């Protein structure tokens, strides 16, 4: 196991990158790492990894550090900031592919493609703060996961620095590339425990000409989920989400559940879908268009679960999601991606009389009852040591994960203790 600290680490890093690129962490970064280094090249990252392997110094790649700041029990010795590795390497609008360094944010990547009316349609919370490395490593996704999938579905090539400071390539720059192991899937959601992603190649997609959002209030959550089921079966929606009352306040909803159904296309298509929604969901609500629809969608996308004192994500078969969220208890608020079976949940205020470990056990039992899973998104530092952040898989799956970790990171330096089974 790697050491968590190294007292002379800043001095040693100076010889690799120079003193001006070694700094103390910001408030958020301090929960993830004790010292921050900002390399400007892949070669510098390779050299840093070799140094850390030799001395068993724990490290972790970071973007804005929100993901790791919410779940690390203690900071690693070294955070490798990817902020200076943020170039677009290649962009082929005709081929609908883009290659970029992992330090660029999703927001900047999409701004660069806006002139060609294309985008990477993965919508994490605050895309202007979410780097591609974090998008891949923490498997971030938002409401558009219903229609566009996640980063794992769009990632077709990856480069990362691994064991021995070696640069590893997987996939390629064309969509039809099946050579070698599917390292893209392996790196996705690994939280930096197998290596440091330095470059990624994605498929991109056209930006729809129009987007509208139906916003319908319901007094009961069960009615909102029933309506969502009807819409999901009948229409090719862009997103389909339900907010519990406390999280719906930003939409001027008073103690009601909100169904938010987004749809897109050309003007004729959105007009037709709007009419069908009115026919299928015969309750009062409104259909937003233009800037109003986009602003409300962004409010939905940017609900911040990272800074909550206790937050988790549940994934179950979509048909069971309503029942599972009800079983989580009245002290639980949620954003449910109703068509995908995924929901982010938080503890509402101070309404729970039980401890956080028992709350998580209750949530986890509800997820497991529907053959699903739960992982924590964030927990206050004072309670982290009492919580299991990931479900424990069966013995065979866990053994395989441990073998992969040992093969990719024999020195145990890459973000140790921050994945399933303490990996």
């Amino acid at each position: 196991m790697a050491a968590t600290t190294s007292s002379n680490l800043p001095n040693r890093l100076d010889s690799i990158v120079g003193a001006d690129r070694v700094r103390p962490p910001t408030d958020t970064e301090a929960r993830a790492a004790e010292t921050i280094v900002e390399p400007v090249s892949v070669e510098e990252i390779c050299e840093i990894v070799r140094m850390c392997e030799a001395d068993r110094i724990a490290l972790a790649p970071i973007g804005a550090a929100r993901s790791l700041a919410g779940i690390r029990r203690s900071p690693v010795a070294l955070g490798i900031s990817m902020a200076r590795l943020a170039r677009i390497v290649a962009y082929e609008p005709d081929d609908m592919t883009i290659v970029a360094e992992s330090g660029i944010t999703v927001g900047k990547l999409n701004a660069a493609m806006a002139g060609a009316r294309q985008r990477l349609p993965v919508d994490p919370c605050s895309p202007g703060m979410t780097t591609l490395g974090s998008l891949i490593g923490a498997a971030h996704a938002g409401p558009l996961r219903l229609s566009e999938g996640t980063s794992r579905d769009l990632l077709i090539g990856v480069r990362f620095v691994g064991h021995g400071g070696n640069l590893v390539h997987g996939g390629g720059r064309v969509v039809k590339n099946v050579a070698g192991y599917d390292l893209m899937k392996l790196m996705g959601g690994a939280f930096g425990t197998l290596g440091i992603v330095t470059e990624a190649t994605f498929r991109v997609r056209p930006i729809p000409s129009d987007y509208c959002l139906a916003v319908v209030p319901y007094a009961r959550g069960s009615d909102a989920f029933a309506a969502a089921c009807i819409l999901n079966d009948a229409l090719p929606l862009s997103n389909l989400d339900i907010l519990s009352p406390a999280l719906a306040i930003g939409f001027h909803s008073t103690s009601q559940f909100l169904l938010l159904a987004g749809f897109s296309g050309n003007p004729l298509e959105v007009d037709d879908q709007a009419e069908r929604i009115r026919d299928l969901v015969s309750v009062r609500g409104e259909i937003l268009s233009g800037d109003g629809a986009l602003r409300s969608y962004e409010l939905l996308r940017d609900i911040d679960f990272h800074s909550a004192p206790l937050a988790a994500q549940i994934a179950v078969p979509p048909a069971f999601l309503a029942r599972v969220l009800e079983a989580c208890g009245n002290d639980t608020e949620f954003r449910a991606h109703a068509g995908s079976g995924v929901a982010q949940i938080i503890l509402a205020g101070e309404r729970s009389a039980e401890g956080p470990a028992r709350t998580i056990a209750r949530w986890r039992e509800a997820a497991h009852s529907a053959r699903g899973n739960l992982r924590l998104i964030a927990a206050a530092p004072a309670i982290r040591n009492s919580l299991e952040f990931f479900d424990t898989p069966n013995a065979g799956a866990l053994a395989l994960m441990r073998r992969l970790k040992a093969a990719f990171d024999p020195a145990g330096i890459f973000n140790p203790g921050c994945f399933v089974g303490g990996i």
Side-chain angles (χ1 to χ4, degrees):
M1 177 62 69
T4 56
T5 61
S6 179
S7 57
N8 65 340
L9 183 56
N11 292 333
R12 300 187 61 194
L13 289 167
D14 288 354
S15 64
I16 300 175
V17 301
D20 61 323
R21 288 187 278 120
V22 181
R23 60 174 176 81
T26 64
D27 289 345
T28 300
E29 291 170 340
R31 295 185 181 181
E34 296 175 345
T35 299
I36 304 297
V37 62
E38 296 184 349
V40 297
S41 69
V42 173
E43 291 73 21
E44 286 184 347
I45 296 176
C46 293
E47 186 63 27
I48 292 168
V49 168
R50 284 191 282 268
M51 180 199 75
C52 289
E53 279 198 338
D55 291 344
R56 295 295 196 270
I57 298 170
L59 59 82
I62 60 172
R66 292 178 302 163
S67 299
L68 292 188
I71 63 174
R72 277 212 63 88
R73 289 187 170 88
S74 61
V76 293
L78 181 62
I80 299 183
S81 170
M82 306 303 290
R84 297 177 187 250
L85 287 160
R87 297 179 306 122
I88 292 175
V89 178
Y91 174 39
E92 300 293 341
D94 292 339
D95 293 337
M96 300 184 72
T97 60
I98 192 165
V99 186
E101 292 177 325
S102 63
I104 194 171
T105 66
V106 176
K108 287 184 178 179
L109 188 79
N110 281 338
M113 295 187 286
R117 297 290 300 171
Q118 293 179 350
R119 66 179 179 177
L120 176 62
V122 182
D123 55 341
C125 171
S126 301
M129 295 178 64
T130 305
T131 63
L132 293 188
S134 178
L135 183 75
I136 296 166
H140 293 302
L144 291 181
R145 66 193 308 148
L146 175 68
S147 57
E148 303 288 1
T150 68
S151 61
R152 287 167 60 91
D153 302 302
L154 298 168
L155 184 64
I156 60 173
V158 69
R159 294 187 179 194
F160 64 94
V161 177
H163 168 49
N166 295 310
L167 184 60
V168 183
H169 304 241
R173 295 189 179 185
V174 295
V175 173
K176 293 183 178 179
N177 190 312
V178 294
Y181 295 106
D182 194 349
L183 293 175
M184 291 75 71
K185 295 291 192 295
L186 199 60
M187 299 302 289
F191 287 86
T193 57
L194 300 177
I196 301 171
V197 174
T198 59
E199 183 182 290
T201 303
F202 286 98
R203 290 179 290 174
V204 298
R205 291 178 176 156
I207 299 174
S209 58
D210 291 86
Y211 173 80
C212 295
L213 184 68
V215 182
V216 186
Y218 289 89
R220 298 189 304 176
S222 58
D223 292 338
F225 277 99
C229 184
I230 292 171
L231 293 179
N232 194 43
D233 289 343
L235 295 169
L237 297 171
S238 298
N239 63 279
L240 180 61
D241 304 276
I242 296 171
L243 294 178
S244 61
L247 295 183
I249 290 175
F251 295 84
H252 308 293
S253 175
T254 305
S255 299
Q256 291 184 305
F257 295 86
L258 273 192
L259 170 66
L260 300 106
F263 51 100
S264 56
N266 61 45
L268 288 177
E269 289 171 328
V270 296
D271 286 348
D272 177 66
Q273 290 187 77
E275 191 61 35
R276 294 189 66 189
I277 287 174
R278 292 188 184 97
D279 291 340
L280 291 166
V281 184
S282 54
V283 295
R284 65 182 183 275
E286 60 180 334
I287 294 181
L288 307 175
S289 60
D291 290 342
L294 290 174
R295 284 194 298 270
S296 292
Y297 156 76
E298 289 171 359
L299 279 176
L300 172 68
R301 178 197 67 196
D302 291 343
I303 295 173
D304 182 13
F305 295 94
H306 292 96
S307 59
L310 192 62
Q313 179 165 289
I314 280 177
V316 298
F320 300 147
L321 185 57
R323 172 173 65 80
V324 167
L325 291 173
E326 184 177 6
C328 285
N330 294 329
D331 59 355
T332 303
E333 300 287 342
F334 61 81
R335 179 184 66 182
H337 306 301
S340 305
V342 174
Q344 295 79 40
I345 60 178
I346 61 173
L347 193 61
E350 302 296 330
R351 291 191 293 174
S352 178
E354 62 191 357
R358 293 188 65 182
T359 298
I360 293 300
R362 167 162 51 94
W363 289 351
R364 189 158 270 145
E365 181 180 359
H368 292 174
S369 71
R371 306 192 307 276
N373 62 74
L374 177 141
R375 69 173 176 88
L376 265 65
I377 298 171
I383 63 175
R384 290 180 190 176
N385 287 337
S386 66
L387 304 177
E388 290 294 336
F389 279 76
F390 296 87
D391 280 355
T392 301
N394 63 61
L398 184 57
L400 176 59
M401 291 180 182
R402 294 192 187 284
R403 289 200 300 272
L404 284 169
K405 174 69 171 176
F408 278 76
D409 181 23
I413 65 165
F414 291 113
N415 199 19
C418 203
F419 195 52
V420 176
I423 293 174

